[in-house]
């Protein structure tokens, strides 16, 4: 029997589980980025991607400017979404989303995206934006976002080490 997915507001007790699942979920993403990015640039930005991501997740979860929803299956934390509201331009942003690899391909990312966009709509936002990588490791994220109705805005960012 498939257990029901419930999205709960963030509580500090969820933090360790969120960090753990995020690092597992993003391991193949960072491997893909590393293989498709100039090594000197990857190493400049991510000398230790795990420490970098752990810090980013902790900061997002503990920021007063962020809203965080946590996907739970029973007592297990299966994923999370962090988003913010742009009061000036009525544009919300999904800043970070991750689903534990053990729970991927069950629609959790879509439920987290719906949770964030519904909260944004209720807060008066008119647009929701997010960004993701174009490398092969981000392909599942792109599919999920497009399935949720997001349209890509093609942009290219260039880097050069000086």
């Amino acid at each position: 029997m498939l257990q029901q997915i419930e999205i709960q507001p963030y509580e500090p007790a969820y933090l360790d589980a969120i960090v753990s699942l995020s690092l597992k979920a993003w391991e193949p993403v960072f491997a893909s980025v590393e293989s498709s990015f100039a090594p000197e640039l990857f190493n400049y930005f991510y000398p230790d991607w795990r420490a970098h991501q752990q810090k980013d997740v902790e900061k997002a979860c503990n920021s007063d400017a962020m809203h965080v929803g946590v996907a739970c299956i029973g007592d297990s934390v299966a994923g999370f979404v962090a988003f913010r509201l742009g009061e000036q331009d009525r544009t919300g942003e999904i800043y970070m989303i991750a689903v534990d690899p053990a729970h991927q391909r069950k629609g959790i990312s879509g439920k987290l995206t719906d949770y964030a966009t519904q909260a944004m709509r209720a807060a008066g936002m008119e647009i929701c934006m997010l960004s993701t990588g174009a490398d092969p490791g981000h392909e599942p994220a792109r599919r999920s976002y497009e399935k949720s109705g997001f349209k890509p805005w093609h942009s290219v960012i260039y880097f050069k080490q000086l």
Side-chain angles (χ1 to χ4, degrees):
M1 182 174 114
L2 190 61
Q3 288 185 297
Q4 186 169 341
I5 301 161
E6 293 188 28
I7 311 297
Q8 305 290 334
Y10 173 77
E11 295 289 334
Y14 292 130
L15 185 60
D16 289 343
I18 289 171
V19 168
S20 177
L21 76 85
S22 297
L23 296 178
K24 289 186 283 187
W26 291 327
E27 186 168 356
V29 172
F30 275 92
S32 174
V33 171
E34 184 175 19
S35 71
S36 60
F37 203 37
E40 66 276 8
L41 293 172
F42 181 85
N43 291 330
Y44 177 81
F45 286 110
Y46 306 109
D48 181 348
W49 73 262
R50 286 174 182 81
H52 174 88
Q53 286 305 111
Q54 178 173 346
K55 182 179 172 186
D56 279 358
V57 169
E58 290 171 348
K59 184 176 177 182
C61 288
N62 293 315
S63 170
D64 290 338
M66 288 287 175
H67 303 267
V68 180
V70 181
C72 298
I73 300 175
D75 293 333
S76 176
V77 175
F80 87 109
V81 62
F83 60 97
R84 55 184 154 215
L85 307 175
E87 303 294 332
Q88 299 297 329
D89 62 2
R90 294 184 181 213
T91 299
E93 177 188 10
I94 295 178
Y95 175 71
M96 187 177 283
I97 189 167
V99 176
D100 189 313
H103 295 289
Q104 290 177 357
R105 304 195 59 80
K106 296 178 183 177
I108 295 171
S109 178
K111 288 185 181 297
L112 288 165
T113 300
D114 289 346
Y115 173 86
T117 56
Q118 288 172 14
M120 288 177 196
R121 189 176 297 112
M125 301 297 104
E126 296 177 359
I127 298 288
C128 175
M129 60 112 15
L130 55 81
S131 63
T132 192
D135 61 281
H138 283 92
E139 174 64 28
R142 291 191 306 274
R143 277 195 316 269
S144 177
Y145 303 144
E146 290 176 14
K147 186 176 179 181
S148 290
F150 286 83
K151 305 295 183 215
W153 173 315
H154 298 286
S155 176
V156 178
I157 301 171
Y158 288 94
F159 293 93
K160 176 182 177 182
Q161 188 166 23
L162 304 176

